[in-house]
Amino acid sequence: MKKIIFIIIFSLNFFNLNSDEKTKLHFEIYKNIRCLVCQGQSIADSNSEFAQTVKLVVKDKINEGKSEKEIYEFLISKYGEWIVYKPQFNKNNFLLWFFPYLALIFGAIIIYALIKKKENNKVN
Amino acid sequence: MLSNTGITLVILTTLLSVLIIYKSFTELHIENNLINKKIFNLVTFQTTFSILSFFVLIAGFIISDFSLVNVYENSHTKKPFFYKVSGAWGSHEGSLLLWINILVIFSFLFLVFTKHNNKSYLLYTLIFQNFLILGFLIFLLINSNPFSKIYPIPLEGLGLNPILQDPALAIHPPLLYIGFVGSSIYFSAGIASLISNCRDKFFAKSIKPWVLISWSFQTLGITAGSIWAYYELGWGGFWFWDPVENASLMPWFVITALMHSVIVLEKRNSIYSWVIILCLLTFTISVTGTFLVRSGILNSVHTFANDPSRGLYILIFLSLMIFLALAAFFRYSKKEEYNFFLKSKETLILANNWFMFFFLTSVMIGTLYPIILEVLNDTKISVGPPFYSAVIFPFVIPFLIFMALGPKINWIKNKYSRILSNFYILIASILLNLLVYFFFGKYSIISNLIIISSIFLIIHSVKDFFIFFKKKTESDISRIVSHLGFGMLILFIGISHNFTVENDFNLKVGEEKKFSGYQINFNSIRMENEKNYKKIIGEFKLVNLKSNLEEILYPEIRIYDQPETLTYEASIKTKLSADTYLTMSNISRSDYYNIKFQNKPFMIWIWISAILIASGGFIRLIKIKTQ
Amino acid sequence: MKKNLLKIIISVVAIFIIGTFYVSLKKTEIYDTKNLVGTNLDNFELNSLNKKLKINQDLVKKSQYTLINFWASWCAPCRAEHKYLINLKRNAKNLKLIGINFKDEKKNANKFLSEFGDPYHYSAADSKGKVSINFGVYGIPESILVNNDLKIIKKFIGPLNQDEYTSILNLTN
């Protein structure tokens, strides 16, 4: 019985998804694109001429079936990497993405070394 | 006249700073253990003159004395009184004077409240703090004088940016400055501690209240800034990972790490060197942050007017500070004995530091990388919210678990009942998470885990709270409150972030639209005149089609004429369950208005949680005071 | 030994960061889409403002140089650069001008051209503004100088001034 209820609830949620998901996708993309004529806003938040135009273009491309990645690549080819907020994974930005994890590992090594030292002192 | 009074007071403060440094140096060589009354008097005078100079500036704003350039550029006779006053610290020059005042006041308070059993430690702290004060005073006098005059005296001011006329924003700088500028005192104390060899427990006890004060106020300051951004900027968000925001968040990570480490140092006499590093790092990052914000090398909604000469001065000051800190640390730090038990509280506090260090590094590399890349490679990239979410969010999960389990770790007995109770709490968290799923809908795996771990922390904290309440044992209520607040903060941010319903469309007056389970009617538009702006108010009726709840919202477009700006005021209906957020903006050359709608669950709880976090710090301070 | 190495590393990092800050203070470059210079134009197609033709990249291939100018009747700086465009039409022999009317109404555009003169060999209409994105335009006026291989030679952000006008003449002669 519980399983049936669970499945019903689960599937009911699915039907709400379609048009809301599409809007969500639009907004996800808008939020990742910089308004080039504003002081630090995405085109989702801005109402400048530029923001409105790019939103139209992005909407068209989504309807054409282009993927998120393709849309960003298109915009980057025209406006440079500065226009997207999520830095791309290329040789320029490699360090950017890896540095925090390097710091994490580095910290772990230090803590491990400190604990090991104590263990050694204990033994001695 | 105000100008001359102001400048005189500043010059007097400067002279006193020099005198204090000199007198302290000479006092160091005197063999007794008393601090000469003269030093107290000098510091008292210095503080008095400094505060008076700030009052003079505020007076200039209140009476609209436009002979002062700063008042002319940032104020207007028609500006409401409260914002005239807050305009005093709203500009670069005024905020610099506030910065100096905080440095001076903290120096004074440190002298008054620190026990005088170590003269050289106290004197060295005073010396270094006054070096910092002097540096900023010289900067003010040479480059950014809030009292400089203009002639002929203009009849009217240029007004302040209307977006800045908001109560949350007015108190945001003072709160933040008590936070990260206040960290200067333990920067100076850290160097003093190294040189005078007053280490370990003594040092920890000495700086603990200052760390708590700066931490609590920094938390409040960041919260006030976010509240302002949410209510004023009209995009419905409260954190954009903008470089200026990051500049206030980075010191917060370090101060949090420091606050936890000081607890360890106070009880165990270990990790002294690490505590010193954190003390030196906090203020260094604060000054770096201020450099980034005021130099003009960053593009942000928040920047003050750009001026590379300011940037150069701050950079020189920063370099000297870093040099001084590194020199003192390398020269005076000694080899230490580390006594770490693997399953002890100390190791878990180290874990806190480890996470804070990771968060700090992530935010720092995100903020600095574009600058470095542009210098090295001439390429401009943006690092925005998607980067920070991707890097930081997954690690919030283990962090929350550590926060829940960490404080309990020294209960070695009843090991198995402990594990069992943790298991039950975990199950409860997962079930409650399913409840979220049921009410709101599906969301990503990472978000699920984040919500589960935040509920885990909340349940643990609430449980601890009941234990404290029942047994009235000397338990750390401040830790319970702050950790509970943090768990709640992540929970509500997680839900709000995942289940905000937003929509963006164009409407003409009289039109209506159905979307996402709502219906909206654009009823009317009217124009009104206010004291220093005109506004266009739109009336919208919003109906939630599922619950039949009706709300009337009034977003505005405000037209200021001093200076000529257009701002958009969101209409926000706050309920305990959610905020309804509506903004309206005009589309040029059209009858249509662009409407942005958002339904954001549990927004007010986010602010409540943040204030709860800060309260923990204040509770601990009160406990210290009453001991 | 290890301690000295650590000290050196930390000092080097500190110097590096301060140095970077110093250099970036000196650089005050504003963003522009100079990355497009040297690349080729995408194929495009627009309706002509008044006639029944299609304006596309084939027109660009026919002339040795083409200046594509984005403008609108409601744009004040466009009026400021207008005289340079007129002079270019008159004086630049190997250059053809294509005007792309951006987010405007046909009657307002024609009114502007009849009042101030028509410097364009071809006029196109981009009423929603969407095509401008293909050219990397983010504000108006903007002008793009291309050769007959569709290669972008220079981008001009904002209204043309005397120096830019002269440089176009020199580049195309």
Side-chain angles (χ1 to χ4, degrees):
Chain A
M1 188 54 194
K2 269 195 208 164
K3 265 198 197 158
I4 299 176
I5 295 181
F6 188 70
I7 294 174
I8 294 177
I9 294 173
F10 193 88
S11 43
L12 273 177
N13 272 314
F14 259 70
F15 291 120
N16 273 344
L17 290 176
N18 255 345
S19 73
D20 283 348
E21 276 229 329
K22 223 178 173 189
T23 318
K24 242 192 166 181
L25 174 67
H26 279 89
F27 272 100
E28 290 286 316
I29 301 183
Y30 294 162
K31 285 194 189 153
N32 196 19
I33 300 175
R34 184 192 278 272
C35 162
L36 295 178
V37 299
C38 315
Q39 276 262 42
Q41 278 182 300
S42 66
I43 63 169
D45 308 326
S46 160
N47 259 327
S48 60
E49 200 78 65
F50 176 73
Q52 289 174 40
T53 317
V54 178
K55 274 192 263 206
L56 287 178
V57 173
V58 170
K59 261 194 217 158
D60 280 354
K61 292 213 182 282
I62 295 180
N63 289 332
E64 278 169 27
K66 293 263 169 22
S67 74
E68 216 178 314
K69 189 157 183 252
E70 289 173 314
I71 295 177
Y72 296 144
E73 275 173 9
F74 167 71
L75 287 172
I76 292 176
S77 72
K78 299 296 171 193
Y79 294 99
E81 280 184 78
W82 201 54
I83 195 172
V84 285
Y85 276 118
K86 186 169 190 180
Q88 305 250 289
F89 281 104
N90 52 33
K91 64 176 172 65
N92 266 342
N93 303 332
F94 166 84
L95 248 172
L96 171 66
W97 285 97
F98 278 94
F99 199 84
Y101 302 112
L102 287 177
L104 195 68
I105 297 174
F106 181 68
I109 294 177
I110 294 191
I111 295 185
Y112 178 70
L114 284 176
I115 296 178
K116 199 112 191 287
K117 217 176 182 177
K118 169 61 197 164
E119 303 275 300
N120 286 340
N121 286 343
K122 233 167 138 190
V123 170
N124 296 343
Chain B
M1 197 221 38
L2 274 180
S3 166
N4 294 334
T5 319
I7 294 187
T8 313
L9 287 167
V10 171
I11 294 181
L12 281 173
T13 314
T14 315
L15 290 173
L16 280 167
S17 310
V18 176
L19 268 175
I20 292 172
I21 295 176
Y22 174 72
K23 202 78 178 78
S24 304
F25 258 122
T26 51
E27 272 293 304
L28 277 171
H29 300 303
I30 298 181
E31 273 304 318
N32 63 11
N33 211 23
L34 299 165
I35 297 199
N36 197 322
K37 197 142 209 287
K38 283 211 188 103
I39 295 194
F40 279 104
N41 292 338
L42 288 174
V43 175
T44 311
F45 274 116
Q46 178 199 45
T47 314
T48 315
F49 288 145
S50 175
I51 296 180
L52 278 176
S53 73
F54 195 58
F55 282 166
V56 167
L57 184 62
I58 294 181
F61 272 85
I62 294 178
I63 65 175
S64 292
D65 179 350
F66 296 123
S67 69
L68 294 173
V69 179
N70 194 255
V71 180
Y72 166 65
E73 285 178 344
N74 297 297
S75 193
H76 195 273
T77 50
K78 284 201 234 137
K79 202 142 71 97
F81 178 81
F82 180 62
Y83 298 121
K84 279 188 180 143
V85 170
S86 68
W89 58 80
S91 67
H92 163 72
E93 294 83 1
S95 71
L96 213 58
L97 190 58
L98 179 61
W99 184 294
I100 291 171
N101 269 280
I102 304 282
L103 289 172
V104 168
I105 293 174
F106 266 75
S107 160
F108 173 73
L109 292 175
F110 187 81
L111 184 63
V112 167
F113 285 108
T114 304
K115 292 198 179 55
H116 295 156
N117 38 14
N118 197 306
K119 187 170 98 158
S120 87
Y121 167 68
L122 207 51
L123 287 175
Y124 272 119
T125 306
L126 216 54
I127 290 173
F128 291 117
Q129 184 76 351
N130 274 281
F131 270 127
L132 297 176
I133 294 172
L134 205 56
F136 276 93
L137 279 167
I138 296 177
F139 180 31
L140 186 106
L141 285 168
I142 297 183
N143 179 299
S144 312
N145 191 342
F147 297 109
S148 43
K149 288 194 272 221
I150 186 173
Y151 192 83
I153 301 175
L155 288 171
E156 185 59 274
L158 296 175
L160 186 62
N161 189 336
I163 302 183
L164 304 180
Q165 287 177 36
D166 172 89
L169 192 69
I171 58 165
H172 165 67
L175 289 175
L176 270 188
Y177 284 11
I178 299 178
F180 66 70
V181 181
S183 72
S184 58
I185 196 66
Y186 41 87
F187 173 89
S188 309
I191 302 185
S193 160
L194 285 170
I195 297 182
S196 66
N197 203 30
C198 291
R199 308 160 56 98
D200 305 329
K201 280 190 191 172
F202 169 80
F203 180 62
K205 277 202 157 69
S206 159
I207 61 167
K208 193 161 93 158
W210 310 106
V211 177
L212 280 168
I213 291 177
S214 64
W215 181 84
S216 308
F217 277 96
Q218 183 79 354
T219 312
L220 286 179
I222 296 177
T223 310
S226 302
I227 291 178
W228 166 70
Y230 178 70
Y231 282 94
E232 271 303 308
L233 293 185
W235 52 288
F238 55 91
W239 191 265
F240 194 62
W241 297 106
D242 176 273
V244 171
E245 293 170 337
N246 295 347
S248 70
L249 189 60
M250 290 191 275
W252 188 87
F253 290 135
V254 188
I255 306 179
T256 306
L258 176 60
M259 184 176 64
H260 287 78
S261 305
V262 161
I263 298 173
V264 173
L265 187 63
E266 197 185 18
K267 301 210 166 94
R268 297 298 155 119
N269 263 350
S270 54
I271 66 172
Y272 167 75
S273 297
W274 178 243
V275 169
I276 294 286
I277 292 177
L278 290 176
C279 287
L280 300 178
L281 196 59
T282 313
F283 192 58
T284 308
I285 293 188
S286 308
V287 178
T288 308
T290 218
F291 166 75
L292 292 176
V293 168
R294 293 170 202 253
S295 62
I297 63 178
L298 290 176
N299 174 296
S300 151
V301 208
H302 302 86
T303 44
F304 292 96
N306 299 333
D307 189 347
S309 71
R310 293 180 200 157
L312 190 61
Y313 187 92
I314 302 180
L315 188 61
I316 295 176
F317 181 81
L318 179 66
S319 318
L320 289 173
M321 247 180 63
I322 293 180
F323 175 73
L324 173 68
L326 285 179
F329 187 74
F330 289 155
R331 166 89 176 72
Y332 290 98
S333 67
K334 296 185 186 156
K335 206 161 163 34
E336 267 184 84
E337 268 302 312
Y338 300 108
N339 289 312
F340 287 114
F341 298 92
L342 178 57
K343 291 202 191 72
S344 66
K345 214 170 183 173
E346 289 87 38
T347 317
L348 276 127
I349 285 190
L350 269 195
N352 160 289
N353 278 230
W354 183 44
F355 278 99
M356 285 297 135
F357 182 62
F358 170 71
F359 296 140
L360 174 71
T361 315
S362 313
V363 178
M364 197 181 282
I365 193 82
T367 311
L368 295 183
Y369 197 79
I371 301 173
I372 300 177
L373 192 65
E374 198 174 353
V375 165
L376 292 180
N377 212 347
D378 216 17
T379 330
K380 239 175 136 88
I381 64 163
S382 292
V383 179
F387 170 79
Y388 298 101
S389 319
V391 173
I392 295 182
F393 286 8
F395 287 91
V396 174
I397 301 166
F399 184 61
L400 287 165
I401 310 264
F402 270 102
M403 276 178 83
L405 298 178
K408 319 291 191 61
I409 210 71
N410 53 0
W411 292 38
I412 311 169
K413 47 187 171 171
N414 299 330
K415 197 160 70 162
Y416 291 110
S417 68
R418 289 259 120 229
I419 297 183
L420 197 63
S421 83
N422 272 321
F423 182 69
Y424 285 144
I425 295 180
L426 188 63
I427 298 291
S429 310
I430 298 179
L431 286 176
L432 286 169
N433 178 56
L434 278 179
L435 216 70
V436 172
Y437 179 95
F438 176 71
F439 275 112
F440 288 98
K442 75 170 197 181
Y443 54 126
S444 69
I445 295 182
I446 290 202
S447 294
N448 267 287
L449 291 174
I450 292 180
I451 302 282
I452 291 177
S453 18
S454 63
I455 298 178
F456 187 73
L457 175 59
I458 293 174
I459 297 180
H460 263 283
S461 305
V462 172
K463 184 165 159 251
D464 285 350
F465 184 74
F466 280 121
I467 295 176
F468 162 79
F469 209 61
K470 267 194 335 198
K471 294 189 185 170
K472 301 261 197 239
T473 47
E474 189 45 53
S475 160
D476 34 359
I477 182 71
S478 50
R479 182 261 304 168
I480 296 173
V481 169
S482 287
H483 280 203
L484 174 65
F486 190 79
M488 284 167 63
L489 182 71
I490 303 294
L491 173 69
F492 293 120
I493 291 182
I495 295 182
S496 193
H497 183 75
N498 277 291
F499 299 114
T500 290
V501 174
E502 52 189 330
N503 228 298
D504 182 331
F505 41 82
N506 297 337
L507 280 182
K508 269 202 277 219
V509 183
E511 282 186 342
E512 68 178 46
K513 189 178 169 79
K514 270 210 182 73
F515 64 93
S516 310
Y518 292 91
Q519 171 163 318
I520 190 166
N521 282 47
F522 191 170
N523 286 344
S524 66
I525 217 160
R526 69 177 195 277
M527 179 117 127
E528 270 178 22
N529 278 320
E530 286 289 329
K531 195 156 131 189
N532 52 343
Y533 59 92
K534 288 195 267 286
K535 58 186 178 185
I536 302 175
I537 311 174
E539 183 183 289
F540 292 82
K541 185 173 84 164
L542 183 77
V543 182
N544 182 327
L545 295 172
K546 267 186 275 190
S547 66
N548 268 320
L549 179 71
E550 250 182 51
E551 287 173 315
I552 313 272
L553 294 142
Y554 297 97
E556 296 173 13
I557 302 174
R558 290 191 185 172
I559 308 161
Y560 288 82
D561 51 18
Q562 278 303 344
E564 264 183 55
T565 5
L566 214 62
T567 67
Y568 305 108
E569 291 299 302
S571 176
I572 309 178
K573 286 272 185 264
T574 304
K575 306 177 283 295
L576 279 181
S577 59
D579 278 16
T580 313
Y581 196 97
L582 203 69
T583 42
M584 167 183 85
S585 53
N586 56 316
I587 301 181
S588 3
R589 312 180 303 281
S590 159
D591 286 337
Y592 279 94
Y593 289 87
N594 178 258
I595 313 294
K596 286 193 172 60
F597 161 86
Q598 293 188 52
N599 183 65
K600 310 182 75 72
F602 297 133
M603 278 310 291
I604 194 164
W605 290 101
I606 296 182
W607 316 127
I608 295 176
S609 313
I611 295 176
L612 201 61
I613 297 176
S615 319
F618 287 118
I619 293 176
R620 181 76 103 155
L621 263 170
I622 296 175
K623 261 183 32 177
I624 296 180
K625 272 245 111 184
T626 55
Q627 267 165 7
Chain C
M1 219 9 254
K2 235 192 267 184
K3 268 217 161 157
N4 277 334
L5 183 64
L6 204 62
K7 288 186 191 179
I8 294 177
I9 295 180
I10 294 178
S11 311
V12 166
V13 169
I15 294 177
F16 172 70
I17 293 189
I18 294 177
T20 311
F21 285 163
Y22 178 70
V23 174
S24 70
L25 267 183
K26 295 298 179 183
K27 271 174 174 256
T28 37
E29 267 171 44
I30 319 166
Y31 169 74
D32 66 39
T33 43
K34 58 183 198 286
N35 65 315
L36 277 186
V37 174
T39 61
N40 279 16
L41 271 189
D42 282 347
N43 292 341
F44 64 95
E45 187 169 284
L46 286 164
N47 285 327
S48 159
L49 185 60
N50 292 311
K51 313 204 180 109
K52 273 205 182 263
L53 17 119
K54 292 284 185 193
I55 313 279
N56 59 26
Q57 68 283 350
D58 292 334
L59 280 176
V60 176
K61 287 187 194 158
K62 282 192 203 152
S63 154
Q64 200 180 352
Y65 293 101
T66 311
L67 187 72
I68 306 177
N69 174 260
F70 290 82
W71 68 284
S73 63
W74 46 262
C75 149
C78 302
R79 207 167 297 183
E81 71 168 359
H82 199 74
K83 60 175 195 261
Y84 294 115
L85 295 172
I86 298 276
N87 286 338
L88 279 175
K89 183 175 187 184
R90 206 183 304 146
N91 302 329
K93 289 306 159 199
N94 301 317
L95 180 73
K96 288 265 189 298
L97 284 99
I98 300 183
I100 301 190
N101 184 246
F102 177 85
K103 281 188 164 182
D104 208 351
E105 280 185 47
K106 193 161 112 171
K107 58 175 165 63
N108 293 334
N110 283 322
K111 184 157 170 256
F112 181 96
L113 292 176
S114 65
E115 210 179 311
F116 298 108
D118 186 351
Y120 305 117
H121 295 91
Y122 305 99
S123 270
D126 186 9
S127 57
K128 296 232 178 79
K130 292 196 268 185
V131 177
S132 70
I133 304 293
N134 290 319
F135 289 86
V137 165
Y138 57 96
I140 55 166
E142 264 189 54
S143 309
I144 309 178
L145 183 66
V146 289
N147 66 13
N148 54 0
D149 280 328
L150 296 183
K151 191 157 110 157
I152 298 178
I153 303 174
K154 210 160 178 203
K155 265 197 125 201
F156 301 94
I157 313 280
L160 292 175
N161 56 32
Q162 179 73 33
D163 288 336
E164 288 168 329
Y165 164 74
T166 320
S167 76
I168 298 177
L169 278 179
N170 293 335
L171 279 169
T172 57
N173 278 338

